[in-house]
Amino acid sequence: MPVFQRTTLSDAIVTLAPGMIRGHDDFVHIRGHEVALNPLINGVSFWENTHSVFSAGLSPDVIETANVMTGGFPAEYGNRFGGVIDIVTRSGLRMENRGAVTVSGGDAGRRRVGGEFGGRRGRFGYFMFGSVVDSDRFLSPPDREAVHDAARGAHVFTQFESTVGPLGLVRAVFMGDGTDFEIPKTARDAVLRPLATARQDTRQQTAIVGWTGVVNDMAVTASAYQRWSRARLFPAAGPLTVRAQGTRTLSTLGGKIDVTRFSGRHALKVGVDAVRLRPQENLAYNYEGYLEFTHLVGLPHIHVAGQSIDFAGAESGGQVSAYVQDSIRAGSRVTVDIGLRVDRYDLIVSKTHASPRVNLAFQIGDATVIHASYNHFFVPPPIEGVLSSSAGLTRSIEEIAVALPPLEPIVEDQVEGGVTTRLGPVQLALSSYVRETDNPVHTTIWPDSRIYSYASFDRARAYGLEAKAEVTSLFASGVSGYLNYALGRGEFQNPVTGGFVTEAAHIAETNRFLAPMDQTHTLTGGLTYRHAATGLWLGSAIEYGSGTPMGHGGAGHEHPEGAADHVDVPSSGGAPRVPGHFTAAVSLGVNLLRDSQRRAKLTLQFDVENIANNIYLIAQEGEFSPAQFSIPRLLSITAKLRF
C-alpha cells in the first residue's frame, strides 16, 4: 500500500475485506454498522472508536498479523461486531537485533519519519517503534480544495517479552499516541469567515501486561490493561460561526482471563473480562453567530433555546462479561462451534444480556468448506459522547423541545452462510448475511462543529452478498493479489428513541430510510509483482463505490460546493446518492544493497495515489453534516534503511 495510506488503522484496512465502506467524516462502515471496527490488541479490546476525530488510534506499523472477521463470531468476542480486527503486535523474539529508519515525503505537505528496533537476548525479547507524521491534508475536506486541514501526529510503541521456562510467556506493551489537527473548512468560509479556524487534539496512553502458559493441561491467557485517552475541541473565533469547545476523557482499567482445554473432539474455552470505565465530558456550544450566517447565505438551520448549550458530567461504570464455547469436531469433515456469552453492562443504564452463538463448517473434498452461522450480539452504547448523548440535551432544540431518553445498548441477530474453495492458486470465498438490529445508533454532528453525539433509532436491517478472491501461492513467480466485491443494503427505521438528534423529523416519523452507509456496490482489489533477481516490485490498488445516500428519505437539501449532480435512485425512502467513483493507486519500489540472503538494506518506494485525479464526493449525509471530498492525485517517495 502507499505509505500514507498506512497512517491510521482505518485507512490501512478499508480495502482489505469485502463490505467496508468509506462514510462521512472518514468513518469506515461494515455491514450497515455505524460503530464498526473493534480492534483487539493481543487479545484485549478497548472501547474507543479508532477513527481520527475520536482517538489518536494505533499505528499499523506495529502489527505483525491482523485477522479481520465480519461474521461467524465465537462467544469470546464482544462489544462491537461490524468487524473484529484481532491484532498480534510485532515481537522482538522473532527478530535478529535489527532495526530500520523510514523517511517519506510527498504532495500536500505530507512528511513522515519513523524508526524501529527489535531483537532478543536469550529468553528476553524487545521491540520499539516511533513515528512522527505531518500533513496539510488530514481529514477529508468539505470542498474540493483542502483549506485549514493540517495535522501532526506521533506514535510510540514498546513491547517487552520473556519466556519463563515451563511457566510460559510474559508480555508487556506500552503505547503513547497523539494527534493535533485542524478542522477543514470551505473556500467560502475562508472568505466570509476567515477566523473560523477550529482545531482538535487527541491523546492516548495504553498499557497491557499479559501472560500465556499451560496449567494442568489447560492453556491459560491472562491480561491486565489500562488506558487513558482524551479528545479536545478548540473553538473557532470571529463572528458568523459557532463557538464550540469540548473535552472528553476516558479512563479504562480492566482484566481478563481465558482457559482452553482440549479433550478428544472438543476444544472447550471459558473466559471472563471485567472493565471499569470512567468517562468525563465538558461541552460548551454557542449557536448565535452561525444562525446569523445561515440567514446571510441561505443555509438550513435549527433554533437553540438561549442560543447556547452547556454540559459537564462524569460517571463511573463498566461491564463484566463471561463466556463458554466449545469447538467440536463432530466428524472428520464437520466442525461445530457453539457458545454463550453473558454481559452485565452498567454505565448510565444497566442491562444484563445473554448472547448465544452457533457456527457450523462442513468440508467437501480437499479444498471446499461450506459454513453457516447464527450469532446474537449485545453492543453497549458508543463510549464517545455517551454522557452528553444521554443527558436529554434535545430539550434545548426548539424544534424538539423535549428530553430524549438515554442511549440503550444495541441488540442484534445475524445469520450468515457461505462457501470457500481453492481453484489452483486462487482462494475463493462467497458469503451472504442478514442482520436485524434493535436500538441501532448513528452519529449526530452538531451544526457547524465537529461535536459528535449519538442517536438510537427504533430498528435497522442490513443484508448483502460478499465475494473475495485471493492469490496466495504464486510467490515463486512473484505475483500476489486480492479482489473484494460486496453487494449490500442497509436501512434504518424511525423514530429516534434516545440520545441526541437535531432533526425533529426523525422523532415524529416512523418510516424506513436508507442508512447513510448504504452502498449498493463496493469493489476493492490489489495486485503486486516482485522480481526476485533485481529486487524490483510493482503494486497497484483499485477502489470502486456506487455511492452512498444523501439526506434521509429524500428531504430537501443543497448540493455541496463542487459536487456533481446526482439522480434519485428508486429505493426505500427515495434518497438521492452521491456519484459513484473509481480510483486507482500504484507503487513502484526497488530493494537495494541486498545481502547473501537477499535481504535489502535499502528500499526505495514511489507512490501515486488517485492516478486519474478523480476528486469525488465521498459522502454527504445530511443537511447539517459537511460534505467530504477525496484526495486529488498525490505523489510521495519513501526510503527505508535497515540495519
Side-chain angles (χ1 to χ4, degrees):
M1 295 181 65
V3 171
F4 287 101
Q5 290 184 16
R6 301 199 306 262
T7 301
T8 68
L9 183 62
S10 301
D11 286 339
I13 72 161
V14 69
T15 62
L16 298 185
M20 294 190 175
I21 298 169
R22 298 182 190 270
H24 64 99
D25 292 290
D26 300 308
F27 293 175
V28 176
H29 304 291
I30 307 171
R31 291 189 171 183
H33 253 263
E34 175 72 4
V35 186
L37 301 179
N38 181 11
L40 278 78
I41 305 172
N42 297 330
V44 171
S45 174
F46 292 96
W47 289 37
E48 287 92 340
N49 195 319
T50 61
H51 300 298
S52 300
V53 293
F54 288 133
S55 70
L58 170 76
S59 172
D61 291 289
V62 305
I63 297 174
E64 183 162 310
T65 62
N67 181 28
V68 181
M69 293 171 282
T70 56
F73 300 103
E76 62 184 288
Y77 295 103
N79 299 340
R80 302 287 183 267
F81 297 97
V84 171
I85 312 166
D86 204 343
I87 293 169
V88 176
T89 55
R90 296 175 64 183
S91 169
L93 293 174
R94 291 182 286 275
M95 300 178 70
E96 301 177 359
N97 298 317
R98 294 179 178 272
V101 174
T102 304
V103 179
S104 302
D107 293 337
R110 300 185 301 172
R111 300 174 296 274
R112 181 182 183 276
V113 177
E116 62 185 61
F117 187 76
R120 65 183 301 164
R121 293 289 188 272
R123 295 181 176 181
F124 177 75
Y126 58 92
F127 174 73
M128 292 170 284
F129 167 83
S131 68
V132 177
V133 180
D134 284 318
S135 177
D136 292 335
R137 197 196 180 288
F138 184 63
L139 299 177
S140 295
D143 210 340
R144 291 181 177 274
E145 181 183 357
V147 179
H148 193 256
D149 198 12
R152 169 171 291 183
H155 300 278
V156 176
F157 177 93
T158 59
Q159 178 168 294
F160 303 103
E161 300 166 281
S162 180
T163 57
V164 286
L167 296 180
L169 175 70
V170 176
R171 171 188 291 156
V173 171
F174 304 97
M175 294 184 288
D177 307 277
T179 308
D180 295 347
F181 57 94
E182 298 171 337
I183 305 300
K185 59 184 184 180
T186 65
R188 179 174 66 179
D189 288 336
V191 174
L192 300 180
R193 306 188 296 171
L195 299 180
T197 52
R199 60 187 180 88
Q200 185 173 332
D201 69 26
T202 56
R203 299 291 186 269
Q204 190 167 279
Q205 169 269 316
T206 306
I208 306 171
V209 178
W211 167 73
T212 301
V214 178
V215 179
N216 295 330
D217 297 326
M218 295 183 295
V220 182
T221 300
S223 299
Y225 54 95
Q226 171 272 334
R227 172 175 284 178
W228 173 86
S229 60
R230 185 191 69 197
R232 293 188 300 181
L233 175 66
F234 298 91
L240 304 179
T241 184
V242 158
R243 294 177 181 266
Q245 59 183 345
T247 301
R248 296 193 321 267
T249 61
L250 176 65
S251 297
T252 301
L253 184 64
K256 63 175 299 185
I257 183 170
D258 303 311
V259 179
T260 305
R261 181 178 179 84
F262 299 92
S263 177
R265 295 179 177 269
H266 298 264
L268 184 66
K269 188 173 185 178
V270 298
V272 177
D273 189 354
V275 60
R276 187 71 172 172
L277 304 168
R278 181 171 174 77
Q280 184 172 350
E281 300 176 26
N282 293 280
L283 167 66
Y285 180 82
N286 189 295
Y287 189 68
E288 184 176 5
Y290 184 66
L291 181 61
E292 183 180 348
F293 182 71
T294 64
H295 290 148
L296 179 66
V297 300
L299 292 176
H301 55 268
I302 59 175
H303 297 88
V304 177
Q307 301 299 343
S308 65
I309 300 175
D310 297 286
F311 173 80
E315 294 284 345
S316 293
Q319 181 171 288
V320 177
S321 306
Y323 73 89
V324 57
Q325 65 188 41
D326 191 6
S327 182
I328 308 167
R329 293 287 297 179
S332 61
R333 296 182 176 273
V334 180
T335 301
V336 181
D337 184 281
I338 58 174
L340 178 68
R341 182 181 182 91
V342 178
D343 297 285
R344 171 62 181 178
Y345 172 79
D346 185 10
L347 181 64
I348 303 178
V349 299
S350 298
K351 296 288 182 180
T352 301
H353 199 85
S355 303
R357 315 272 176 84
V358 180
N359 306 300
L360 173 68
F362 179 74
Q363 183 177 344
I364 301 175
D366 295 329
T368 302
V369 174
I370 297 175
H371 62 88
S373 66
Y374 163 74
N375 288 179
H376 186 76
F377 303 138
F378 174 81
V379 182
I383 197 65
E384 293 81 17
V386 66
L387 304 183
S388 54
S389 295
S390 300
L393 299 182
T394 48
R395 59 179 172 266
S396 296
I397 308 300
E398 293 184 358
E399 287 82 355
I400 300 174
V402 296
L404 290 177
L407 293 170
E408 293 282 340
I410 303 165
V411 177
E412 297 183 302
D413 292 286
Q414 177 173 283
V415 177
E416 181 184 34
V419 59
T420 63
T421 189
R422 178 177 291 276
L423 297 177
V426 182
Q427 182 80 23
L428 301 173
L430 180 69
S431 62
S432 62
Y433 67 92
V434 176
R435 176 176 283 184
E436 301 280 353
T437 307
D438 292 331
N439 300 319
V441 298
H442 184 58
T443 53
T444 299
I445 184 167
W446 294 46
D448 198 41
S449 78
R450 290 298 176 101
I451 296 175
Y452 289 87
S453 294
Y454 284 90
S456 56
F457 287 80
D458 183 34
R459 290 188 301 275
R461 187 170 188 255
Y463 54 94
L465 180 71
E466 298 173 349
K468 182 180 181 72
E470 187 173 8
V471 178
T472 59
S473 59
L474 288 181
F475 297 116
S477 60
V479 176
S480 61
Y482 67 93
L483 186 67
N484 300 318
Y485 169 74
L487 172 69
R489 174 55 47 88
E491 298 174 331
F492 276 76
Q493 173 83 46
N494 279 318
V496 165
T497 58
F500 180 85
V501 68
T502 57
E503 299 172 75
H506 281 305
I507 299 176
E509 297 177 354
T510 58
N511 64 306
R512 291 187 301 168
F513 62 93
L514 290 179
M517 68 286 295
D518 177 276
Q519 184 162 263
T520 308
H521 304 285
T522 306
L523 178 73
T524 59
L527 187 68
T528 302
Y529 171 72
R530 298 181 182 274
H531 191 261
T534 61
L536 288 168
W537 57 270
L538 178 68
S540 61
I542 60 170
E543 180 178 338
Y544 168 77
S546 59
T548 55
M550 300 178 71
H552 300 152
H557 63 279
E558 295 187 355
H559 291 272
E561 296 179 29
D565 291 337
H566 54 263
V567 297
D568 286 342
V569 176
S571 61
S572 172
R577 294 180 181 270
V578 304
H581 67 272
F582 180 86
T583 60
V586 63
S587 299
L588 176 65
V590 59
N591 295 321
L592 302 172
L593 306 178
R594 292 183 293 173
D595 59 20
S596 59
Q597 298 178 347
R598 289 190 173 180
R599 292 179 300 193
K601 292 187 177 182
L602 176 64
T603 297
L604 300 179
Q605 179 173 339
F606 177 67
D607 298 316
V608 184
E609 302 167 67
N610 194 355
I611 297 173
N613 199 30
N614 174 25
I615 306 175
Y616 64 91
L617 181 61
I618 299 172
Q620 171 63 68
E621 180 195 345
E623 57 187 358
F624 299 123
S625 299
Q628 293 87 49
F629 282 87
S630 73
I631 61 172
R633 182 192 299 118
L634 293 176
L635 311 179
S636 61
I637 189 168
T638 298
K640 184 171 185 177
L641 178 65
R642 299 173 181 85
F643 55 88

